[in-house]
Amino acid sequence: MKKNLIIPVMGVVVLAVCVLFYLNQTTDRNNKQEEISNLVFETPDFYDNEFIDEKAMGEFYVVNFFASWCKPCLAEHPLLMEMKKQGIKIIGVNFRDDEENFKEWIKEHGNPFEHILRDDGTIAYEMGLIGVPETYFIKNKIIQKKIQGPLFYEDIEQYL
C-alpha cells in the first residue's frame, strides 16, 4: 500500500515546486521596469541624419513603430496627428519599409513624428517588437505602457 502512495505524493510535490517556480518568475517579470533601448538614441534621424537629443525629448514621449505597408498603422495615424497637436513628442520607427514608399506615405498622410528612425529590425528586436503598429509610452526612460496593435482613443486619452 505504501508503494501505491509514493507516485501520487511525488506528483503533488513536483507540481507544487513547478507552481512555485512559475509564480516566482511571473512576479519578477511584472516588477521589472524596462528601459527604452539605447539604440533609439544611437540611430540617426532619417531626415537630418543627427542623433536624437534624449534631454530635448523631455521626461515623457512616445515611440511608435509603423510601416507604409501596414493598414492598422494608417488607421491609428489620425490619433498620432492629434497627439502631436497636443504637444506630445513622438519618435517614429519605420520598420522594414521601402524608402520611397515610406517617404510617399508620410507626404500623403502627414508627419506626426518629432523624429523618424529607419529600422531593419535591429531596434525592433532590441525592444521586443511583436509587430507593427506598436507603441511605447516612455517616462524617464522607463516604458510605462506598451500597446500592441493600433492605438485607440482610450489608449491615449489620459495623455491628451
Side-chain angles (χ1 to χ4, degrees):
M1 179 128 159
K2 288 185 181 183
K3 283 185 178 182
N4 290 344
L5 288 177
I6 290 176
I7 293 176
V9 170
M10 289 301 291
V12 169
V13 169
V14 169
L15 181 62
V17 170
C18 289
V19 167
L20 287 173
F21 276 115
Y22 174 76
L23 291 175
N24 187 41
Q25 180 184 19
T26 303
T27 303
D28 290 345
R29 195 175 17 206
N30 290 338
N31 289 335
K32 182 181 176 194
Q33 291 190 323
E34 291 186 51
E35 285 193 11
I36 184 170
S37 170
N38 285 331
L39 286 176
V40 170
F41 302 102
E42 296 169 356
T43 304
D45 182 281
F46 175 75
Y47 287 109
D48 64 15
N49 203 32
E50 293 185 12
F51 298 104
I52 298 171
D53 180 355
E54 189 176 346
K55 290 183 181 180
M57 289 303 293
E59 79 174 43
F60 176 78
Y61 53 92
V62 172
V63 176
N64 176 262
F65 284 83
F66 73 101
S68 65
W69 45 262
C70 167
K71 298 298 181 200
C73 296
L74 184 57
E76 77 174 2
H77 201 73
L79 282 176
L80 295 172
M81 295 297 284
E82 180 61 29
M83 290 169 71
K84 179 180 182 175
K85 282 182 191 174
Q86 297 295 327
I88 297 172
K89 294 180 180 177
I90 307 169
I91 298 171
V93 182
N94 183 244
F95 178 71
R96 292 185 176 172
D97 207 347
D98 176 79
E99 186 173 322
E100 289 305 313
N101 290 346
F102 145 72
K103 290 194 294 191
E104 185 60 35
W105 193 83
I106 290 292
K107 183 178 173 183
E108 183 178 339
H109 301 290
N111 184 357
F113 306 112
E114 186 85 11
H115 300 280
I116 296 178
L117 308 176
R118 302 256 300 138
D119 184 29
D120 61 2
T122 307
I123 300 170
Y125 176 78
E126 183 81 17
M127 289 191 63
L129 184 81
I130 301 296
V132 291
E134 198 160 289
T135 307
Y136 298 78
F137 295 81
I138 313 295
K139 186 171 183 182
N140 296 322
K141 264 194 108 169
I142 304 294
I143 298 170
Q144 302 294 314
K145 183 178 185 180
K146 177 180 178 178
I147 304 292
Q148 296 170 326
L151 291 174
F152 293 98
Y153 183 78
E154 296 79 31
D155 298 319
I156 66 166
E157 66 184 329
Q158 73 188 70
Y159 303 107
L160 298 179

